Amino acid sequence: MPTAYTRHDCGFESRGSRCAAWFYETVVAPQAVVVMAHGFGAHRTFALPAVAQRFAKSGYGVLLFDHRHLGDSEGRPRGLVDPFRQLDDWRAAISFARAKADRVVLWGTSFSGGHVISTAACATTAPTSWSSAAIGITCPPENEVPHRTTRSAFERANGIAARQ
């Protein structure tokens, strides 16, 4: 029997900008919270609500968010796809989800599938993650991926101001 759920508008801060999100809340305590976002420049409204609903009906809470600069999230310039900023958004989303449940699962598709794998690989504890490339791995406590010189080189090469 499917679990009942409601969807709420919510958001969280990532490096001083608000990431817009929906939280699918089950009527019973969730088994875990699935954190999910779209790949590359897509928005959370593009097909992912159907996936989020399936997780919610199965008893999982779901945090579905837009990366900064995309969709309903804040950030200028609009449409900017910066993998380093998006990884920051994933870490902020995980922190938000941890307030909802002890267990957090990462789910990504396309470009965000890579974010899921990268976030899981850099975690100090083993996260549960799914990507469209497909692995099952449980989610890190808050941690920072060390900033590498590649970040500044990427930003300089793409004419992007240092992140705030």
Side-chain angles (χ1 to χ4, degrees), residues 14-40:
S14 178
R15 300 287 181 174
S17 294
R18 183 180 176 278
C19 289
W22 290 321
F23 187 72
Y24 294 74
E25 184 173 15
T26 57
V27 294
V28 296
Q31 301 174 48
V33 172
V34 177
V35 178
M36 58 191 319
H38 232 304
F40 206 66

Side-chain angles (χ1 to χ4, degrees), residues 1-145:
M1 181 168 178
T3 302
Y5 67 90
T6 56
R7 187 184 86 181
H8 306 281
D9 290 331
C10 63
F12 54 88
E13 292 293 313
S14 178
R15 300 287 181 174
S17 294
R18 183 180 176 278
C19 289
W22 290 321
F23 187 72
Y24 294 74
E25 184 173 15
T26 57
V27 294
V28 296
Q31 301 174 48
V33 172
V34 177
V35 178
M36 58 191 319
H38 232 304
F40 206 66
H43 307 169
R44 64 190 155 129
T45 59
F46 300 172
L48 289 187
V51 178
Q53 291 167 7
R54 294 204 57 183
F55 278 122
K57 287 177 182 176
S58 297
Y60 292 91
V62 180
L63 179 65
L64 172 55
F65 74 96
D66 282 330
H67 293 106
R68 284 177 291 163
H69 308 281
L70 301 170
D72 294 324
S73 291
E74 295 176 347
R76 297 271 183 245
R78 299 303 299 159
L80 175 67
V81 176
D82 178 337
F84 299 109
R85 291 178 191 212
Q86 290 180 340
L87 287 170
D88 287 338
D89 298 346
W90 275 92
R91 287 188 292 274
I94 291 165
S95 294
F96 182 88
R98 283 213 177 274
K100 306 283 187 187
D102 292 334
R103 291 186 58 218
V104 175
V105 175
L106 308 181
W107 187 95
T109 183
S110 185
F111 195 52
S112 72
H115 294 333
V116 164
I117 293 168
S118 180
T119 301
C122 294
T124 56
T125 61
T128 300
S129 58
W130 290 302
S131 75
S132 57
I135 54 174
I137 317 177
T138 17
C139 194
E142 291 183 45
N143 67 320
E144 289 291 324
V145 174

